[in-house]
Amino acid sequence: MSNVGTFTQNRFLTDYARLLAPSLDSFIADQVFPAVDVTSRIGNFHDVQGGFGAASPGHGMAVVDGMERPLHINVAVNTATGWILQENGLGARVSKSSQEYARGDGLDLEQANVAILSRRTAQIRERVAAAIAFNTTVFSGKTAALSGTDRWDNASSDPSSQAQDAIDNIAQASGEMPNTCIVGYEVHKKLVRHPLMREFRKYQGGANGPLTKEAIAQFLGVDNYIVGSAVSNTAVEGQTASKSYIWGKSALFCALRPSPQAMTPQSCLQRFRLAGSVDGSVNDYDLPGGYVKQIDMMWCDQFLAPTTELGYLYTTVVS
């Protein structure tokens, strides 16, 4: 297997791909998985136990007369499964003769292929991220499936009460307060029409104005409210397209850190990235014969949920 990491990066096409980012704002993978740079492709987490003190028998911190040193506590440091980084990406091929014909029509085929690669890679990365963040196995013991009148598209449900339940669960499990709620667009469009949401808007004095994500976050008791609205085609290649929202009908309450640590994870979701690598780096090179150019868009990272105690997942949030 060739080492694609040694190929020459095309800075112009890489920068062009970054200019496309605003048109891809429905993709949230990199936003909800904060990046942490690591210097090795393989590494382990260090899980420090003993953060919660025993309630009984209890002891204070006073150093009384006759004690030569403070009381000590038992702390266990365990090595857990960590990250394994691999190069990942997609490529496209451009015929040099076709490129010349296209230029006569004012079209740059290299840029056109980069635009397509940007969206296709974003869709794949979004599916990988959603499959981790909304996975009941990943959050085993920290998840609940809503049904009947508990679902947020039912007028009798109480989303803010269920949000508080999730917040309490995270606080009890980790000692931390969550700051983020991540939902799929199908959940979002029902939540904004919920009767309690409308009442909250009236109470806030904004019944006639736009409903902001900040207002929804406040309603749910968190700082950040993030909606995954990316769409992909789920049909087999070559068959009639079948479009669906990638993030589905779940809601994850979690604590995210913008600059988490690698060895002792402090964020429910993290993206481990090889230090020095460039996200979405565009490499181009001639294939044997020289008539065709290959254009690759590459990453060297991994999405993980290293600290699931910092999250609580609701599934089947809407019908």
Side-chain angles (χ1 to χ4, degrees):
M1 177 178 171
S2 58
N3 181 7
V4 295
T6 65
F7 294 155
T8 302
Q9 178 189 152
N10 188 315
R11 294 297 300 274
F12 173 78
L13 289 178
T14 300
D15 290 343
Y16 176 72
R18 290 176 178 172
L19 290 175
L20 298 175
S23 67
L24 303 176
D25 58 1
S26 61
F27 297 92
I28 62 170
D30 289 348
Q31 180 181 0
V32 300
F33 282 79
V36 53
D37 288 339
V38 292
T39 57
S40 62
R41 289 180 178 266
I42 299 176
N44 291 319
F45 311 139
H46 289 114
D47 183 20
V48 180
Q49 301 293 333
F52 290 98
S56 179
H59 57 74
M61 296 188 296
V63 180
V64 300
D65 186 29
M67 291 177 60
E68 62 179 75
R69 63 180 65 87
L71 295 172
H72 75 276
I73 61 174
N74 294 320
V75 177
V77 181
N78 303 315
T79 300
T81 302
W83 63 89
I84 303 176
L85 305 185
Q86 293 181 333
E87 297 278 357
N88 56 89
L90 287 179
R93 293 182 177 181
V94 178
S95 165
K96 292 187 178 180
S97 59
S98 297
Q99 170 78 327
E100 292 305 316
Y101 281 118
R103 281 178 179 166
D105 295 328
L107 174 65
D108 189 317
L109 285 185
E110 291 185 359
Q111 291 185 0
N113 276 275
V114 167
I116 294 171
L117 284 172
S118 292
R119 183 162 292 276
R120 289 288 294 275
T121 54
Q123 289 172 336
I124 294 172
R125 289 171 63 77
E126 202 78 357
R127 285 198 293 266
V128 173
I132 294 172
F134 284 177
N135 190 308
T136 55
T137 300
V138 171
F139 288 94
S140 178
K142 312 170 190 72
T143 182
L146 301 185
S147 62
T149 57
D150 287 335
R151 288 179 172 170
W152 294 2
D153 54 349
N154 189 299
S156 299
S157 65
D158 188 350
S160 62
S161 177
Q162 288 157 345
Q164 186 61 55
D165 289 342
I167 291 170
D168 291 343
N169 271 285
I170 294 170
Q172 289 287 330
S174 68
E176 299 281 343
M177 299 300 291
N179 57 9
T180 301
C181 176
I182 306 165
V183 303
Y185 180 74
E186 292 180 278
V187 173
H188 170 72
K189 67 182 181 181
K190 298 296 185 180
L191 179 58
V192 296
R193 293 172 174 79
H194 196 283
L196 293 180
M197 188 75 251
R198 292 199 295 267
E199 283 296 317
F200 180 78
R201 292 184 69 190
K202 292 178 183 178
Y203 175 77
Q204 294 295 99
N208 297 321
L211 180 59
T212 65
K213 291 181 180 179
E214 289 77 13
I216 300 174
Q218 188 175 4
F219 173 73
L220 296 174
V222 293
D223 298 327
N224 307 302
Y225 176 76
I226 302 173
V227 181
S229 56
V231 176
S232 71
N233 178 15
T234 59
V236 175
E237 187 171 359
Q239 301 298 314
T240 302
S242 177
K243 307 294 180 62
S244 66
Y245 291 104
I246 293 174
W247 287 87
K249 301 177 180 180
S250 297
L252 176 67
F253 289 83
C254 57
L256 300 181
R257 297 279 181 89
S259 299
Q261 299 296 314
M263 304 304 288
T264 53
Q266 300 169 325
S267 184
C268 177
L269 307 175
Q270 291 184 205
R271 179 168 69 97
F272 292 83
R273 176 177 59 191
L274 186 64
S277 65
V278 177
D279 289 340
S281 172
V282 178
N283 306 328
D284 63 339
Y285 47 94
D286 290 339
L287 295 177
Y291 294 100
V292 177
K293 176 178 286 189
Q294 174 98 3
I295 300 175
D296 298 333
M297 182 170 284
M298 304 296 300
W299 282 261
C300 188
D301 61 3
Q302 183 183 21
F303 294 117
L304 286 173
T307 316
T308 57
E309 291 79 9
L310 293 172
Y312 195 85
L313 175 66
Y314 284 123
T315 59
T316 60
V317 176
V318 297
S319 302

